[in-house]
Every structure is written in structure tokens, then in C-alpha cells.
Amino acid sequence: MNDVTLKLKPARRERLADVLYGQILEQIASGQMAEGAKLPSEAHICRDFQVSRPVVREALMRLQADGLVVSRQGIGTFVKSRPSDKLTSLAASAEIASYLRAFEPRLALETECAGLAAMRRTKAQLNQIGEALAALEGAFARGETGWEEDFAFHHAVAEAAGNELFPRLLEELRDILSGSMRMALGLTRQGSDDRRRRVLEEHRKIYSAISGQNRDLARLYMRYHLTESRARITGSHGDL
Amino acid sequence: MNDVTLKLKPARRERLADVLYGQILEQIASGQMAEGAKLPSEAHICRDFQVSRPVVREALMRLQADGLVVSRQGIGTFVKSRPSDKLTSLAASAEIASYLRAFEPRLALETECAGLAAMRRTKAQLNQIGEALAALEGAFARGETGWEEDFAFHHAVAEAAGNELFPRLLEELRDILSGSMRMALGLTRQGSDDRRRRVLEEHRKIYSAISGQNRDLARLYMRYHLTESRARITGSHGDL
Amino acid sequence: MNDVTLKLKPARRERLADVLYGQILEQIASGQMAEGAKLPSEAHICRDFQVSRPVVREALMRLQADGLVVSRQGIGTFVKSRPSDKLTSLAASAEIASYLRAFEPRLALETECAGLAAMRRTKAQLNQIGEALAALEGAFARGETGWEEDFAFHHAVAEAAGNELFPRLLEELRDILSGSMRMALGLTRQGSDDRRRRVLEEHRKIYSAISGQNRDLARLYMRYHLTESRARITGSHGDL
Amino acid sequence: MNDVTLKLKPARRERLADVLYGQILEQIASGQMAEGAKLPSEAHICRDFQVSRPVVREALMRLQADGLVVSRQGIGTFVKSRPSDKLTSLAASAEIASYLRAFEPRLALETECAGLAAMRRTKAQLNQIGEALAALEGAFARGETGWEEDFAFHHAVAEAAGNELFPRLLEELRDILSGSMRMALGLTRQGSDDRRRRVLEEHRKIYSAISGQNRDLARLYMRYHLTESRARITGSHGDL
């Protein structure tokens, strides 16, 4: 495993793409680039930001995957939806891409955790999930972001999966998850009542599926919750 | 997050269940408990091993999930298949359960990695996967276990997923994975030619699906490979 | 394939279990059996309804899967949630089980359709889905059940999957689907504004994921929609 | 639902694409177009076959999905692998595409059936699956294609799923499935011993997972079997 040089390169390219992603997102969030506006060409962006073509492509690909821009073949790339302008006050622009990337391993790991928890949870473990849910509702009622309660909820589900490696892997992601949750819930705190209601309902459904020992339902509701959380950050559903 | 006391308890229960799992497995592998033989009752095992009922249940549940025993409601638990007696010479009996448990997060994470790699791999990343595959074939040809080459293969797939968190999570599991792979490939080295051919073919199919940018195929072949690897350890398919 | 006799038996058992399912459901919906009430024992039900043990078990298993009753090992089976009493005015009680069963092949087929439609839909096909969505909104605004518009929506998604076998299979289910949709949307028409809003939002998200060519999202939103539709019929989420 | 005109159009386009797909496949199978050879440009094919651009694109897209050709952006489309020249003696060239298309709904439906069968099969249903498996082994031993036994196996799995709609949907596909199975097993009968061994092993694993009531395993092995069956037809794995 002497691939040190090779491993550094993609890491650096990712970071550059993150910085570029963040700067374009910042301009969209601030309204400098309005919805429907056409982005500069790839060649232009390369020149302006002094980065290589693969870096630009990766940043644009991620912006498109996040529903922020849309690319029309042969015509160009256009602003599709505008995230909240509060987003860039809650996280450094270069970190937003990295926070969003955390949803990929989370989807894989936590969907599995939720399904296993539905099959294996003890009563004590179910109570822990229920307590974290109640704590999250309390935090929302007090006008707090509730990110620690949110993390405790997801951690309790991982514990209930009955395999100590799942909470260990979640711990490994703790730093990036706490940043991601603070950003997401920071937006929710400043958002509509409807938005807070949805966040709580999504958690409640996960709890209820695990309580009812329904594996398919637990997997579905966890996947739905994580997907919607991500969409709430990028604003691709409007303020929901 | 002041759940320190509660978190220790399940961890300790898991370790006890691992020890018990390993000891029963050892007796099955050595032939002391023959195929078809009936295991002592839960109450008996509690007394003999001085452990609580939940510990016994967890150990039996895992033995059943691994296809080693089968439980017939109201009648008892019976030995179903016998793993290679070499198994207990390749790993301490208390570690085998823990190595097998590593397949759960691996299935979730690596299936996702394989699918993303099929969509995002660069040429350089594909070459790395191909080189690890060639190195594994070389190791097998030289009569080595090839576990480092195997780990390099799976690591290269994680790199190719284009999200630095995937290789980071695999690194977090490196210790347990290296033990697990050494055990699995140790058995394969001493097994039949057909067994080695299958291990290589499974890796080759993953490579080929990622090379062909076929996401569904890459996910399926990774899932199949990990599932078969686990079954080869517990012997639930015979010597294959 | 000379299994005519064997095939008839399970079919008949299913019908008997459907009748029994419907009668128990009727008593729960009407309030004759209140939430928390204990059901008679299996042996009792066998005697009262003059049916065999497997028929009773199947009916109870389905009631539990639908979230209507919960079984506590060694204690008995209890009423968990009460569907709307309007349910039994919208469908004959023996048909309800059969309508609910249609969700199993629908989940498998339509999740696949939605994913393929996201990858392959032509502009004309996307327009058809959009028109069916608009028609459904219109029907709701006029206070109609909108089941034909609902069927047209799902049929248009199947058409957009680019494989003529998918709409053909949906046509094969048309009779049972129309009964199922009439029942589901009949409840929704008499339900809360919030309930109608949810039904429309679920359809809108499927359309939007197919429009945005996001395969994973299209699959998730279709699976979520069908799962929630089923839960709205059995009332396992309350009136939502 | 007055979309008769619109529905005819895609149907006709599909049939034209099938004819074109079959003719190109015939030239690859016969060796007229060798592996590595470059296909004529889209515009050329339009002229030569007197069909529209979307028809050509669909045929090429399907050939690529089947692993028969590979498209390199900006360079052209090349022959990648060559199916057995016996293929075109077993089915009319225009039918091959349609037979291959049957694998899409089969993957969705039968994967679900296998998982449900693992949870719900009665002993009598398991015996039926086992008998169909033994009959398939017998047919192979007698040098027959065994397609009726193959269909009986898959039908018995659908019966065991405990929902009468699954076998009903499989019956709806009977004509196309019998053609597809006759073609696939016709190739296998003329193929290597290793190929027949694989086909039987795949069926045996499905049976064994359903017998062992392991839902995940049953789903995986059904998905793997259908995927490999398709690949054996197009020859994308060589003669396996």
C-alpha cells in the first residue's frame, strides 16, 4: 500500500472543488446569481478561479446533484434553485460541500442501522431512542437548534443495531456530522413552523417503525429523513 | 450524551456472547458436536457457562444467522453445518464472532462504494483497482493468503467512490478487517482450487462492472462477494 | 405443471383469511373492539368463525403487518389502531384485505418504474405525467376522489419506464387497483385538508424527481408514496 | 384515459428499435462485425435502415446496456463482446431484444417474491420449489433444455410469496418468459458443463435460502441468478 502520492491528489482536487462549490453556492444564496441565470462556461470558470477542468467539472456535477443548478446539453448551466441566504452565515462556504458529502455514507450506514434496530432493539435501547426524540422536541420548543439531541437520536439508533461497529463508525464521523447538523438545524430554527413540524415528524416515524419492529419501514423512513434533510439544506424543495 | 454507563453494558454483553459463540463454534468445528446433534437447552448453557439468558440468546441467534445451527420451535437447537476445523487455528475463538460481525457495516458501506465507483471512477482510480486485482491473483499463484492485496482492492474501490469519507471509514475498520481477511483467505489457501477460482472471479466481476460503469451490476457483485465470503468462513455452503 | 389441486388450496385459504380479516377490521373500525382491547384467542376465533388455525394465523399476521393489532408473545393479541369507520362504507369488508395486498407487487413494480422513468423518460412522457398530476389537483379541488387521475399518473410513470411490459402488468392489476384507489381516495376526500395536501405533495415529488432525472430520488419518493398510501387506509398514522 | 394515439407511438418506436437491435446483434454474433470493430455513425445507420434518430439511439443504448457494444464519447461506438452465433438460431433476431427486456420486470417482481417466500412459504410450497429444482436437474441430465421446469421453479417461488397477485403477474408474462427461457437454456444446453453447473447452482442457492428462511439471501440469490442469466444470453461474461 505505497500509494501515498496518488492518494493525496484526489484529496486535494476534492478540496479545491469544495472551495469552488462553496463560492458558487455563496453567489447563488446571496442572489448575485439569480434563479434562471446562466453560469459562465467551464473554460471561463477555469480561468477566473485558476483551477483545472476536472475541478470545475466536479464542482458543477455536485451543484447539479444538489439541485442548485441544471445543465442543458450544448447550451450551458443555469441556476435552478436558491438556498437560504442564511446558509452561508451558518457555515464557511468551503465547508458546506463537505457537510453535504457526509450524507452519502450516512445514507448507507444509517439505513442499515435503522433496519437492524427494528429487528434487534432491546427495550432499554428503544427507550434511549425515545428519550432522544423527546429531548429533540424539547430543544425545538425552547427555540434551540437541538443538534446534540439530533446526534443522540441517530447514535441511539446505531446502538440499537446490535453491532458495536455501527456506533464506532458514527463516532468517526462525529465532527463532520456535528457541523452538518448545526448547519441544517440552524436553518430549520430560522425557518417556518411547518419545517420544524416535518423534522420532528420524520424522527417520530423512524422511532415508531423501530418500536413496531418493522424493518422495511424503519429503513424507508431513515432514508427519507436523510434525503429530505439534505434537500432542506440546499433548498431544492423550497422552505420545507 | 451522558450515557456512559448504559453504553458499557451492551458492549460487555456482546463480548460475553462472542466468547460463548466462539466456544460453541469451536466444538462444532472440532466435531465434538456433530452435524444433527442437539445443543443443550438455554437454561443448561446459562448454568454451564455462568452467563445470563440474554447472552445465551444472542450467541444462539448469531450462530443461527451464520447457518451453523438451526432452531426448531418447541424442540430445540441443532447443529446444521460444520465449518472447517482449520478455522479455529486461524483465529482465537472469541474473535471469530467479531470478525463475522464486520460484514454487516461492510455490506452497507462497500455496496454503496461499488455503485458510486461505477459512476465516478477516474481512469487512474480504475487502474488502481485493476492493479490490486492483479496483485491478488499473483499472491494466490504464489500460495500466499493475499490479505494485503485483498484489502488494497477494497480500499481502491472506496477511493474510486469519490468521497473521502468512504476510505476513512474503511481505515477505521482496518484492524478488524485485516483479522477477518486473514482468517477467510487462510481457509481459502488451504481449500480447493475451485474455492480460489471463485474468490478471484468475484473480484474480477466487481472490477469489470466498475470498469463498464454499470452501477447496479457493481452493487450486486460487491454484495454477492461479501455474502459469499462470509458463507465460506462459516462453511454454510460446504467447501466453496 | 399439473399442480391444479395444490394451487386451489392456498387460493381458497387466502379468500377465507380475507373474509376473516375484513370482519375483524370491521369490528375495530366500528368501535365494537376498542383500542387496547384484547382479541379472543386463536382457538376461540377458530370455533367462532368455523375456520382452521392457518386461516386465523394468516388473518392475524396481516392485521399485525397493517399495524391494526399487536401481538405480545404469551399474552395475546391487542387492538393497536383504529381505521376510519368510513372505510367499511367504501369497500366490502372481504375486499379490503385484497386491496391492501395489491401494494406488495405495486411496491416492487412501481419503484422500479419510477427509477427507470427518471433515466429514460422522453419530454412527451414527462408531459403526460405532469398532465395527470394537474388533473389530480383539479379533481381534488372539485371535491372528487380523483381515482382515474391517480391511475393515469401511475400509468404514465410506467409508460415512461421505456419497457412496454410495465404498463401491461399495471393494466393486469387495473381492476384491483381501481378498487384500492377508490377506497384510499374516498377516505382522503372525507379526511382533513392536511391529508389531501400530503397526497398531492407525494405525487408532486415523484414528478419532480423524474423531471430532474434523479433515479434514486424517484425510487425513494414512489416507495414512500405507496407506503404512506397504505398506512392512510389502515389508519396506522392517525388521520394523515 | 384517451391517450390511444400517444401510446401507439412509443410502442411502434420500440418495435423498430427491436428490429434494429436484432439486426446489429445478428451481425456481431455471426462475426460480420468483429470484436473491436467500429459501428457506422448514427447518421449512417439512420440512412441505411431508414429509421429516425431516436430509434437508432434506443437500439444503441440497449446494445450498450447489454454489454455488446461500448460507446466512447466523441469517437464512436465499438463492438465489445460477441454472443454465441447459436443465439440467432434459437430466436428470431427481432425477438431477442424483447426477450431481454423481460428481465426488467422480472428483476423487480421475482426479487420481491423470493424475499417474501423466505418469510412465508409453507412446507408444501417449499416442497413444490424443491420438486421443480429436482425436475430441472433431471432435464439437464437428459440433455433437454428444461425450460418448462425452469418456469415451474420460478412460478413455485411466486406461489410461496403468499400473495396471489405475484403468480398472476408471472402468468401474464408467460409467453415472453417461455421464449426467453427457451433461448437462454437452448444456449446452455449447447454450452459447457461449467455453464450447466452454474445454472443449477444458482437455482439451488435460491431454494436453500428460501428453505433457511433467510430473506436477504433469497433476494440476493434471485437477483444474482436473473442478472447472470441475462449476461449468459448476451455473452458478456464469455461462455459461462
Side-chain angles (χ1 to χ4, degrees):
Chain A
M1 299 273 306
N2 44 7
D3 49 359
V4 178
T5 343
L6 272 160
K7 268 163 69 186
L8 261 173
K9 276 189 214 150
R12 209 184 298 135
R13 196 184 83 199
E14 258 159 31
R15 278 202 298 273
L16 275 175
D18 282 0
V19 171
L20 180 55
Y21 176 105
Q23 293 190 356
I24 297 177
L25 182 141
E26 206 161 10
Q27 297 195 20
I28 298 176
S30 69
Q32 279 182 268
M33 283 191 204
E35 273 167 86
K38 192 180 167 187
L39 269 69
S41 70
E42 281 189 13
H44 247 279
I45 302 178
C46 287
R47 264 206 316 277
D48 290 0
F49 287 86
Q50 295 284 340
V51 288
S52 69
R53 198 55 84 100
V55 168
V56 175
R57 284 210 183 118
E58 194 171 321
L60 291 180
M61 191 196 75
R62 290 186 188 279
L63 284 163
Q64 178 152 14
D66 291 341
L68 294 166
V69 305
V70 62
S71 171
R72 290 192 200 112
Q73 203 145 25
I75 310 181
T77 303
F78 298 83
V79 176
K80 192 178 157 196
S81 76
R82 181 179 164 182
S84 166
D85 56 356
K86 292 158 203 154
L87 182 58
T88 47
S89 74
L90 289 163
S93 64
E95 283 168 353
I96 297 174
S98 139
Y99 290 161
L100 289 172
R101 218 150 48 228
F103 282 98
E104 282 185 355
R106 286 189 73 189
L107 264 174
L109 281 174
E110 297 201 51
T111 301
E112 191 69 19
C113 285
L116 293 174
M119 294 194 295
R120 300 179 182 164
R121 94 285 186 294
T122 62
K123 266 198 182 166
Q125 287 167 336
L126 181 64
N127 286 343
Q128 282 229 310
I129 304 173
E131 281 164 26
L133 174 60
L136 184 62
E137 293 173 329
F140 274 28
R142 290 190 303 276
E144 297 168 13
T145 58
W147 79 265
E148 286 185 322
E149 290 79 3
D150 195 5
F151 188 82
F153 180 89
H154 289 273
H155 200 276
V157 173
E159 287 281 353
N163 183 331
E164 77 283 6
L165 296 174
F166 285 112
R168 192 168 130 193
L169 290 169
L170 219 57
E171 283 295 339
E172 173 69 20
L173 296 178
R174 182 190 267 271
D175 281 354
I176 201 164
L177 283 197
S178 80
S180 169
M181 285 173 170
R182 252 181 284 213
M183 180 174 72
L185 295 169
L187 287 172
T188 291
R189 186 168 57 133
Q190 301 174 52
S192 63
D193 279 349
D194 188 38
R195 183 167 178 151
R196 272 183 296 281
R197 192 186 54 69
R198 284 169 191 260
V199 171
L200 288 179
E201 183 180 299
E202 286 165 20
H203 283 91
R204 232 177 268 130
K205 283 188 167 179
I206 295 168
Y207 169 79
S208 156
I210 292 172
S211 165
Q213 302 184 282
N214 190 324
R215 183 185 176 198
D216 288 349
L217 217 52
R219 289 178 62 94
L220 174 66
Y221 287 153
M222 180 62 88
R223 181 173 290 281
Y224 185 79
H225 166 54
L226 292 173
T227 303
E228 295 301 280
S229 296
R230 197 178 194 291
R232 279 189 290 264
I233 294 176
T234 59
S236 51
H237 287 347
D239 175 38
L240 290 181
Chain B
M1 298 273 305
N2 42 7
D3 49 357
V4 177
T5 342
L6 272 161
K7 265 163 73 186
L8 261 173
K9 276 189 218 148
R12 210 186 297 136
R13 197 183 81 201
E14 256 158 33
R15 277 200 298 273
L16 276 175
D18 282 1
V19 171
L20 181 55
Y21 176 104
Q23 293 189 357
I24 298 177
L25 183 141
E26 205 161 10
Q27 296 193 21
I28 299 176
S30 69
Q32 278 181 268
M33 282 190 203
E35 273 166 87
K38 193 180 168 186
L39 268 69
S41 71
E42 281 190 14
H44 247 278
I45 302 179
C46 287
R47 265 207 314 280
D48 291 359
F49 288 87
Q50 296 283 341
V51 289
S52 69
R53 202 51 87 99
V55 168
V56 175
R57 282 210 186 119
E58 193 171 323
L60 292 180
M61 191 195 77
R62 290 186 189 280
L63 284 162
Q64 178 153 15
D66 291 341
L68 294 166
V69 306
V70 63
S71 172
R72 289 191 200 112
Q73 203 144 24
I75 311 181
T77 302
F78 298 83
V79 176
K80 194 176 156 196
S81 76
R82 180 178 166 185
S84 167
D85 56 357
K86 291 159 202 153
L87 183 57
T88 47
S89 73
L90 289 164
S93 66
E95 283 170 353
I96 297 174
S98 139
Y99 290 160
L100 289 172
R101 219 151 47 229
F103 282 99
E104 283 185 356
R106 284 189 73 188
L107 263 174
L109 280 174
E110 297 200 51
T111 301
E112 191 70 19
C113 285
L116 292 174
M119 293 195 296
R120 299 180 183 163
R121 95 282 188 296
T122 62
K123 266 198 182 161
Q125 287 167 335
L126 181 64
N127 285 342
Q128 282 229 309
I129 303 173
E131 280 164 26
L133 173 60
L136 184 62
E137 294 173 328
F140 275 27
R142 289 189 305 274
E144 298 169 13
T145 59
W147 79 265
E148 288 186 319
E149 289 79 2
D150 196 4
F151 188 83
F153 180 89
H154 289 273
H155 199 277
V157 172
E159 288 280 354
N163 183 332
E164 76 283 5
L165 295 174
F166 285 113
R168 195 169 126 192
L169 292 169
L170 218 57
E171 283 295 337
E172 173 68 21
L173 297 178
R174 181 191 269 270
D175 280 354
I176 201 164
L177 283 196
S178 79
S180 169
M181 286 173 169
R182 253 181 285 212
M183 182 174 70
L185 295 169
L187 287 171
T188 292
R189 187 169 55 135
Q190 301 173 53
S192 62
D193 280 349
D194 188 37
R195 183 166 177 151
R196 273 182 296 282
R197 191 188 54 69
R198 282 169 193 262
V199 172
L200 287 178
E201 185 180 298
E202 286 166 21
H203 283 90
R204 233 176 267 129
K205 282 186 167 179
I206 296 168
Y207 169 78
S208 154
I210 292 173
S211 165
Q213 300 183 284
N214 190 324
R215 184 185 174 198
D216 289 346
L217 216 53
R219 289 180 62 94
L220 173 66
Y221 287 154
M222 179 61 88
R223 181 172 290 279
Y224 185 80
H225 166 53
L226 292 173
T227 302
E228 295 299 281
S229 296
R230 198 177 193 291
R232 278 189 291 263
I233 295 176
T234 59
S236 52
H237 286 347
D239 174 38
L240 289 181
Chain C
M1 300 275 304
N2 43 6
D3 48 359
V4 177
T5 341
L6 273 160
K7 267 163 73 186
L8 261 172
K9 274 189 218 147
R12 210 186 298 137
R13 197 183 83 201
E14 257 158 33
R15 278 201 298 272
L16 277 175
D18 282 1
V19 172
L20 180 55
Y21 176 105
Q23 293 189 358
I24 298 177
L25 183 141
E26 206 162 8
Q27 296 195 20
I28 299 176
S30 69
Q32 279 182 266
M33 284 191 204
E35 272 167 87
K38 191 179 168 187
L39 269 68
S41 71
E42 281 190 13
H44 247 279
I45 302 179
C46 287
R47 265 204 317 276
D48 291 0
F49 287 87
Q50 296 285 340
V51 289
S52 69
R53 200 55 85 97
V55 168
V56 176
R57 284 211 184 118
E58 193 170 322
L60 292 179
M61 192 195 76
R62 290 186 189 279
L63 285 162
Q64 177 152 15
D66 291 341
L68 294 166
V69 306
V70 64
S71 172
R72 287 189 203 114
Q73 203 144 24
I75 311 181
T77 302
F78 299 83
V79 176
K80 194 178 156 195
S81 76
R82 180 179 165 182
S84 167
D85 56 357
K86 292 159 202 152
L87 183 56
T88 46
S89 74
L90 289 163
S93 65
E95 284 169 352
I96 297 174
S98 139
Y99 290 161
L100 289 172
R101 218 149 49 228
F103 282 98
E104 283 186 355
R106 285 189 73 189
L107 263 174
L109 280 175
E110 296 200 51
T111 301
E112 191 69 19
C113 285
L116 292 174
M119 293 195 295
R120 299 179 183 162
R121 94 282 187 295
T122 62
K123 266 197 181 163
Q125 288 167 335
L126 181 64
N127 285 343
Q128 282 229 310
I129 304 172
E131 279 163 26
L133 173 60
L136 184 62
E137 292 173 328
F140 275 28
R142 288 189 305 275
E144 300 168 11
T145 58
W147 79 265
E148 288 186 320
E149 290 78 3
D150 196 2
F151 188 83
F153 180 89
H154 289 272
H155 200 276
V157 172
E159 287 280 353
N163 183 333
E164 78 283 7
L165 296 173
F166 285 112
R168 196 169 126 192
L169 291 169
L170 219 57
E171 283 295 337
E172 174 67 20
L173 297 177
R174 181 191 267 269
D175 280 354
I176 201 164
L177 283 196
S178 79
S180 169
M181 285 173 170
R182 254 182 284 212
M183 180 175 71
L185 295 169
L187 288 171
T188 292
R189 187 170 54 137
Q190 301 174 52
S192 63
D193 279 350
D194 188 36
R195 182 164 177 153
R196 272 182 296 281
R197 192 188 52 69
R198 282 169 193 260
V199 172
L200 288 178
E201 184 180 297
E202 286 165 21
H203 283 91
R204 233 176 268 129
K205 282 186 168 181
I206 295 167
Y207 169 79
S208 156
I210 292 173
S211 165
Q213 301 184 284
N214 190 325
R215 184 185 174 199
D216 288 347
L217 216 53
R219 289 178 63 95
L220 173 67
Y221 287 153
M222 180 60 88
R223 180 172 291 279
Y224 185 80
H225 167 54
L226 293 173
T227 302
E228 296 300 280
S229 296
R230 198 179 192 293
R232 278 189 291 264
I233 295 175
T234 60
S236 52
H237 289 346
D239 175 37
L240 290 181
Chain D
M1 299 273 304
N2 44 8
D3 48 358
V4 177
T5 342
L6 271 160
K7 267 164 72 186
L8 259 173
K9 275 189 216 148
R12 208 185 298 136
R13 197 183 82 201
E14 257 157 32
R15 278 201 299 275
L16 275 176
D18 282 0
V19 172
L20 180 54
Y21 175 104
Q23 294 189 356
I24 297 178
L25 183 141
E26 205 161 9
Q27 297 196 19
I28 298 177
S30 68
Q32 278 182 270
M33 281 191 203
E35 274 167 85
K38 192 179 169 187
L39 269 68
S41 71
E42 280 189 13
H44 247 276
I45 302 178
C46 287
R47 263 205 316 277
D48 289 0
F49 288 85
Q50 295 285 341
V51 290
S52 69
R53 201 53 86 99
V55 168
V56 175
R57 281 207 187 121
E58 194 171 321
L60 292 180
M61 192 195 74
R62 290 186 189 278
L63 284 163
Q64 177 153 15
D66 291 341
L68 294 166
V69 306
V70 62
S71 170
R72 289 190 201 113
Q73 203 146 25
I75 312 182
T77 301
F78 299 83
V79 177
K80 193 176 157 197
S81 76
R82 182 179 164 182
S84 167
D85 55 358
K86 293 158 202 153
L87 183 57
T88 47
S89 74
L90 289 163
S93 65
E95 284 169 353
I96 297 174
S98 141
Y99 291 161
L100 290 172
R101 218 151 48 228
F103 282 98
E104 282 185 356
R106 286 189 73 188
L107 264 173
L109 281 174
E110 296 202 50
T111 301
E112 192 69 18
C113 285
L116 293 173
M119 294 195 294
R120 299 179 183 165
R121 94 280 185 298
T122 63
K123 265 197 184 167
Q125 287 167 335
L126 181 65
N127 286 343
Q128 282 229 309
I129 304 173
E131 280 163 27
L133 173 60
L136 184 62
E137 293 173 328
F140 275 28
R142 289 189 303 275
E144 297 168 15
T145 58
W147 80 265
E148 287 184 322
E149 290 80 2
D150 195 4
F151 188 82
F153 180 90
H154 289 274
H155 200 276
V157 172
E159 287 281 352
N163 183 331
E164 77 283 5
L165 296 174
F166 285 113
R168 193 169 129 192
L169 291 170
L170 219 57
E171 283 295 338
E172 173 68 21
L173 297 178
R174 182 190 268 269
D175 281 354
I176 201 164
L177 283 196
S178 80
S180 169
M181 286 173 170
R182 251 181 286 212
M183 179 174 72
L185 295 169
L187 288 172
T188 291
R189 186 168 57 135
Q190 301 174 53
S192 63
D193 279 349
D194 188 39
R195 183 166 177 152
R196 273 182 296 279
R197 193 188 53 69
R198 284 169 191 262
V199 172
L200 288 178
E201 184 180 297
E202 286 165 21
H203 283 91
R204 234 178 266 128
K205 283 187 167 179
I206 294 168
Y207 169 78
S208 156
I210 291 172
S211 165
Q213 301 185 282
N214 190 324
R215 183 184 176 198
D216 288 348
L217 216 53
R219 290 178 62 93
L220 174 65
Y221 287 153
M222 180 62 89
R223 181 173 290 281
Y224 185 79
H225 166 54
L226 293 173
T227 303
E228 296 299 280
S229 296
R230 197 177 195 292
R232 278 189 290 264
I233 296 175
T234 58
S236 53
H237 287 346
D239 175 37
L240 292 181

